[in-house]
Amino acid sequence: MRSISLFSGCGGLDLGLHDAGFKTVLASDFEGLCAKTWRQNMPATPFVVGRIGDLTRSDLTSQLGGKIGEIDLIAGGPPCPPFSKSRFYLKDKPRALDDPNGWETINGYLNMLDWVRPRGFILENVKGLAYKVHADALATIIERAEKLGYKVSTAVLNAANYGVPQIRERCFVVGSLDACIELPKPTHSNDPTSSLLPWVTAGDVLADLDTEENASDEGHFAGGQHNGLLQQVPPGDNYLYFTEKRGHPEPTFKWRGRYWSFLLKLSPDMPSWTIQARRSNNMGPFHWRSRILRISEIKRLQTFPDAFALAGTVEQQWRQIGNAVPPLLAAAVGRSVAEAIGAPLRDAA
C-alpha cells in the first residue's frame, strides 16, 4: 500500500505504518534536518523540504515521477503548538485555527486530501485538539473531509494502552472512502485483565541501558541549581514532594506553583510520562537516577529501534524523537486503517 507522509519529522509515524503494510512513497517536512535523518534510515524515499502551504499538486506529481497514481493513505501530524496545553498560558498568542501557522498546516493537509484523494487518511495531534475550546477546529477538519467523501472517526489514544512504555495521549482523526475505521482497541492496561496485558514500564525497557560502563556518561547533569533537591525526589514524583500540602518539613515550593514536569522523575515501575520535544535540565521526566535521559533511552521510551540514526546535535535529535508518534502506536492505528480500506493485513507480530 502506497502512502504519502506529511509533517514527517524523523519518521515515527511512518515506521509504524511500514510495519502495518504501508510504503511511504513521498515524505515532506519544513525542517531540512529531518530530511537528513530520513536519508540515513529510509534513503529510497523522496523527501520534499518546505512549508505545506507552499506545496502544490504539481510538486507532488513531479516528485512521484510525473504521475501521482493510486495512493492508499495520507498520514501526518501537523505541528501541535496551536492546540497544545501550553498555549492556554500564552495569552498573547492565538490558538487553534486563529493561529496563522495552525491554519496553514491544517488547511494544507486538507488540500492534500482533495488533490490526492487517498483511500484513507490519518491526522495526529496533541490531546488538546479534542478539547471543547478547539471544537471549531476539529469540526472544520471533519466537515471538509466528509465533503470529500470520507467516513471520519476520532479518538484520543493513550500510547501506554498499546504497549508503549510511555503515558502519551494523542488525538487521532482518521477517515476512509470505503468503510468507517474502528480505531484500535487497547492491548494493555494499568489494570490488566485476562485480555489486557499490564502496561510496559520504563524499567522494563531501560534497565539494560543503565550499566556501570555508561553510568558516568557526561552531559546528563539535571536540575541545575535544584540538583540537590532532584536527588531527594522519590522515583515517580516531582517538585510537589517539597510542598507543605504534601507534608514536607521544610517546604521549598508552593502547591502547583511550577509546571507539572518540574523536577519530574521516572519510576522504573511505571511507564514514562510524555517525552517532550525540548531537552531541559529542570523539566523532566528525568531518569530515576536523577539525570537527564540519554538519546538511546528516549528512543526506547518512544519505541524507536536502537539502530535508528538521527541527524543533528543532541538537542536536535531529542526534538525529533520528542515530536514523533511512537512507531508501536502508529502500527496499531495503521492496521485499523488497512483493515477498513480492504487491504491485506500483515501479521501484527
Side-chain angles (χ1 to χ4, degrees):
M1 297 174 287
R2 304 172 76 231
S3 65
I4 290 177
S5 172
L6 304 175
F7 316 104
S8 305
C10 67
L13 180 58
D14 301 274
L15 287 178
L17 292 175
H18 295 171
D19 286 343
F22 292 92
K23 177 184 178 182
T24 305
V25 296
L26 180 65
S28 175
D29 198 277
F30 174 67
E31 189 171 351
L33 189 67
C34 295
K36 294 180 180 179
T37 292
W38 273 71
R39 284 197 290 272
Q40 293 181 71
N41 299 281
M42 295 167 275
T45 305
F47 197 104
V48 179
V49 177
R51 299 181 70 93
I52 194 168
D54 296 333
L55 294 179
T56 65
R57 196 177 193 282
S58 61
D59 291 331
L60 300 181
T61 303
S62 62
Q63 288 291 330
L64 292 171
K67 181 181 179 182
I68 293 177
E70 182 176 341
I71 299 296
D72 296 290
L73 180 71
I74 281 182
C80 66
F83 304 100
S84 68
K85 186 177 180 180
S86 63
R87 187 57 59 94
F88 286 97
Y89 302 99
L90 302 175
K91 303 298 183 182
D92 59 325
K93 291 190 176 184
R95 293 202 302 259
L97 300 185
D98 291 332
D99 183 309
N101 290 322
W103 169 251
E104 178 186 359
T105 55
I106 295 296
N107 184 59
Y109 184 103
L110 294 169
N111 284 341
M112 289 287 179
L113 276 188
D114 189 14
W115 297 337
V116 177
R117 297 300 298 275
R119 296 170 65 195
F121 73 86
I122 299 172
L123 187 152
E124 177 269 350
N125 214 283
V126 292
K127 182 183 178 181
L129 179 60
Y131 290 169
K132 186 176 181 179
V133 70
H134 296 147
D136 289 346
L138 185 57
T140 295
I141 295 169
I142 294 171
E143 289 169 7
R144 283 184 56 179
E146 288 179 340
K147 285 182 180 179
L148 293 173
Y150 289 95
K151 301 173 179 65
V152 182
S153 304
T154 67
V156 173
L157 305 182
N158 183 348
N161 290 339
Y162 300 89
V164 178
Q166 181 184 169
I167 298 169
R168 187 184 186 96
E169 293 184 299
R170 289 296 184 266
C171 179
F172 283 84
V173 184
V174 297
S176 168
L177 292 174
D178 302 306
C180 188
I181 298 170
E182 182 179 349
L183 282 156
K185 291 181 171 58
T187 55
H188 295 66
S189 173
N190 189 33
D191 186 20
T193 65
S194 58
S195 59
L196 291 172
L197 297 169
W199 275 352
V200 179
T201 71
D204 291 335
V205 300
L206 298 186
D208 68 303
L209 296 180
D210 196 40
T211 63
E212 292 184 6
E213 183 178 332
N214 62 24
S216 61
D217 280 0
E218 296 181 357
H220 299 283
F221 181 83
Q225 63 178 327
H226 301 295
N227 176 263
L229 295 179
L230 179 63
Q231 299 281 350
Q232 300 175 52
V233 173
D237 214 332
N238 65 358
Y239 79 96
L240 294 175
Y241 175 74
F242 296 102
T243 60
E244 182 179 7
K245 188 171 182 177
R246 291 282 293 277
H248 198 278
E250 298 179 5
T252 307
F253 305 106
K254 292 182 179 180
W255 183 257
R256 294 186 177 177
R258 298 289 185 116
Y259 194 62
W260 73 277
S261 63
F262 184 66
L263 304 185
L264 178 66
K265 189 181 291 186
L266 293 179
S267 166
D269 301 321
M270 287 288 293
S272 169
W273 285 276
T274 300
I275 298 300
Q276 306 289 333
R278 179 174 175 267
R279 184 175 183 265
S280 168
N281 77 344
N282 54 33
M283 296 291 183
F286 298 113
H287 195 279
W288 52 87
R289 297 192 188 279
S290 303
R291 59 170 175 76
I292 297 174
L293 292 164
R294 305 181 181 103
I295 295 298
S296 60
E297 290 168 331
I298 63 168
K299 285 199 293 185
R300 288 276 184 93
L301 295 173
Q302 280 278 64
T303 67
F304 275 77
D306 286 353
F308 190 84
L310 291 156
T313 64
V314 170
E315 284 73 18
Q316 290 170 330
Q317 292 178 29
W318 185 293
R319 185 175 71 248
Q320 292 175 72
I321 292 292
N323 277 329
V325 179
L328 196 59
L329 174 60
V333 175
R335 286 190 286 270
S336 292
V337 175
E339 183 176 8
I341 65 178
L345 282 173
R346 292 176 60 179
D347 189 338

